[in-house]
Amino acid sequence: MPSSFVIIGAGQAGIKAAETLRAKGFDGTITLIGAEHWHPYQRPPLSKAYLKGEMSEDRLLLKAPDWIKGAGIDTHLGKRATRLDPATRTITLDDGTEVPYDKVLIATGTHARWLHLDSADLPGVETLRGIDDTRRIGARLKQAHNVAIIGGGFIGMEVASAVRTMGKTVSVVEAQERILARVVAPEVSAYLETLHSEHGVNLRTAVGVDAIVGNGHVQSVELSDGSAVDADIVLIAAGAEPTIDLAFHAGLDLARGIIVDNACRTSVPHIYAAGDCTVFHSARYGRLIGLESVQNACDQAKAAAASMLGEPVAYDPVPWFWSDQYDTKLQIAGLSAGYDRIETVGSIPEGRFSIRYYAGGTLLAVDSINDPRAHMMARREIAAQPPALAA
Ligand SMILES: Cc1cc2nc3c(=O)[nH]c(=O)nc-3n(C[C@H](O)[C@H](O)[C@H](O)COP(=O)(O)OP(=O)(O)OC[C@H]3O[C@@H](n4cnc5c(N)ncnc54)[C@H](O)[C@@H]3O)c2cc1C
């Protein structure tokens, strides 16, 4: 049994893999390398309760520092891995430290996509991925009145909801015809758009951003239809990109992320990958998929740990995800891309319903609004179907 396992990326997948290795009795060396100076923490509250000041930093932590120490997990926090050399099985950190490995797990997640707009370098223009981002945005919010959010995806809409609750003026600019267009049916977008409008969000859909404007500090955002929205803070919430630079230079096979098999093995021996930075072939959906969710980070981390211990499992989950906006909970089971028909169950006016997405007779996915029971049942129902839904 190899005795030295290294995990690059001290996030949701990284710590879950370390925990699983110890739970399965691995008694060799585990080294966790994290670019952030924080111990591993959960990100979902960063755009929700933590942004609103309703949650302490302690509660964000996925494992107490004492637990990590007690489990004999060595950490290099605040250190970025800059090189992974499969030939010598060595990782180099940004302070020059060399860390040898027998097996390594890459769990480097994603980073926020940046938009190269005029004046995007002005103070007050932000992205949101980590604790430090939320702290900086929170500090700015103490003085700010107007918040402009570029991008009507999950993070954009969650921040809109949190910041409206704090009494700020909020504009959301979305280039598509509707918010969340990439992930939910028009009915769900329409429901959430109404929710946000009723809470006073200025929703600007089907319009692009031409420039950010300011003088020493951001002041407004110019839109492609010639109008502008005032802004003391601009949040660029334009999606995320997998962090795969190490993997690229190490010669791993890549698509949108690091390609792994169903046991989280990469194309290079002794190198595994898990979480947001990966893509894998889903027999269930008949295509290569990449998932950015807590569910996938945790489940893939467990699969990777088993695989590193020589007990490969076949990972092919029913993906699931949630988003909280105001008092509304959206839960998604499965992947809806490729649907040809939807069915609505429940009552949209009463704010408790599910949209069921089908391809032929096969249930691909279910979006549930304020109905956790329907969500749990949907996960079971999709799981019970034969694989190769082939959207
Ligand atoms: C604001 C926000 C809200 C979210 N809300 C939800 C939600 O409601 N529901 C849900 O399911 N998911 C949500 N997510 C997504 C979820 O948090 C991610 O899917 C999950 O964190 C992925 O885990 P991961 O371990 O793959 O990556 P991460 O948790 O991002 O961890 C990766 C870590 O690797 C580090 N790293 C990167 N490169 C290096 C390097 N070279 N050397 C060392 N360290 C490195 C990074 O700094 C980071 O700490 C949210 C994400 C964000 C940002």
Side-chain angles (χ1 to χ4, degrees), residues 9 11-13 35-36 43 48 81 108 129 276 292-294 321-322:
Q12 189 93 46
E36 295 177 85
R43 293 177 200 277
K48 308 177 183 81
T108 46
R129 184 72 208 164
D276 283 12
E292 290 169 27
S293 68
V294 169
F321 185 83
W322 79 94

Side-chain angles (χ1 to χ4, degrees), residues 149 170 179 219 233 310 369:
I149 297 169
V170 180
I179 62 166
Q219 288 169 330
I233 300 178
I369 293 278

Side-chain angles (χ1 to χ4, degrees), residues 185 187-188 329-333 342-348 351-358 363 365-378 381:
E187 287 75 359
V188 180
K329 184 174 274 299
L330 165 66
Q331 291 169 292
I332 299 178
I342 62 163
E343 179 191 5
T344 306
V345 178
S347 165
I348 295 180
R352 188 160 179 269
F353 64 95
S354 292
I355 301 288
R356 295 166 64 86
Y357 301 79
Y358 294 89
L363 181 64
V366 179
D367 297 344
S368 301
I369 293 278
N370 297 324
D371 196 347
R373 190 163 173 272
H375 171 70
M376 291 310 295
M377 287 172 62
E381 194 177 343

Side-chain angles (χ1 to χ4, degrees), residues 285-369:
Y285 287 98
R287 63 177 189 272
L288 204 60
I289 62 173
L291 301 169
E292 290 169 27
S293 68
V294 169
Q295 170 273 316
N296 182 60
C298 292
D299 292 345
Q300 237 184 0
K302 288 190 235 169
S307 202
M308 291 169 86
L309 294 171
E311 307 158 7
V313 291
Y315 174 69
D316 192 11
V318 174
W320 57 266
F321 185 83
W322 79 94
S323 175
D324 298 323
Q325 296 167 39
Y326 311 101
D327 290 334
T328 293
K329 184 174 274 299
L330 165 66
Q331 291 169 292
I332 299 178
L335 299 176
S336 58
Y339 71 91
D340 55 30
R341 176 173 68 87
I342 62 163
E343 179 191 5
T344 306
V345 178
S347 165
I348 295 180
E350 286 172 23
R352 188 160 179 269
F353 64 95
S354 292
I355 301 288
R356 295 166 64 86
Y357 301 79
Y358 294 89
T362 304
L363 181 64
L364 294 180
V366 179
D367 297 344
S368 301
I369 293 278

